[in-house]
Amino acid sequence: MLWNQPCPNGGRLVEIFRSLTRGSPGEPDLMRFETLSKDEAISAFRQHEHEGLCHTVWTFYTPFIAGICNCDRSDCLAMRSTVTHAVPVMFRAEYVAKIAPEECTGCRECMRLCSSAPITFSPSNKKTVIDQRWCYGCGICRSVCKKDAIHLEDRATSPIAAALW
Ligand code: SF4
Ligand code: SF4
């Protein structure tokens, strides 16, 4: 959470959150929240990627960014709703992933991390391939590819994914 962000209608996010949750049974202890520097936050994001946690950006009053969440489909209600039940409550990224077949060794590590399952393995040529119709463009799969075979490209340039959000 970007606690100290000024909000569009005044005040700071932390103050608004505090006023909304004060006295409720699940009131969080805000004193236990950590504040990260930019470098610490980026480092945490990289660590999350290796754990297969997908970054999602949450706007509470678009385009005001109130939070960047990191989770996977087993924990994220929004992701489950969108990916598993085809009830979209979040948009995809402006990118789609693509695997360079000449670089891919077929280790399948990327399949293990993807929360939306567009990656398949071909036993005939022992390579993986991404079906861009189901790719959310999170880029998490890249973090485990030792061959650097996965690249993100502009969604707009993909004939089958350009109009899919
Ligand atoms: S992690 Fe990289 S090398 Fe391994 S299957 Fe995926 S794309 Fe291929
Ligand atoms: S970029 Fe696409 S293929 Fe890679 S982990 Fe994200 S959704 Fe899966």
Side-chain angles (χ1 to χ4, degrees), residues 97-101 104-108 110-111 114 117-135 141 149-150 160:
K98 189 172 186 178
I99 295 174
C104 176
T105 60
C107 70
R108 303 194 227 186
C110 50
M111 297 173 73
C114 180
I119 311 178
T120 52
F121 176 74
S122 165
S124 58
N125 66 1
K126 301 203 172 2
K127 310 265 181 202
T128 50
V129 66
I130 293 174
D131 183 340
Q132 294 185 334
R133 287 173 303 173
W134 307 107
C135 173
C141 50
I150 309 174
I160 59 169

Side-chain angles (χ1 to χ4, degrees), residues 5-10 13 16 57-67:
Q5 279 241 64
C7 294
N9 290 337
L13 191 60
I16 294 171
V57 178
W58 293 90
T59 56
F60 291 0
Y61 187 57
T62 307
F64 172 69
I65 294 174

Side-chain angles (χ1 to χ4, degrees), residues 4 14 42-43 48 54 62 66 77 82 107 113 117 140 142 150 158:
N4 284 316
V14 64
I42 291 173
S43 166
H48 293 327
C54 178
T62 307
L77 189 58
T82 303
C107 70
L113 279 202
I140 299 302
R142 293 177 308 170
I150 309 174
S158 167

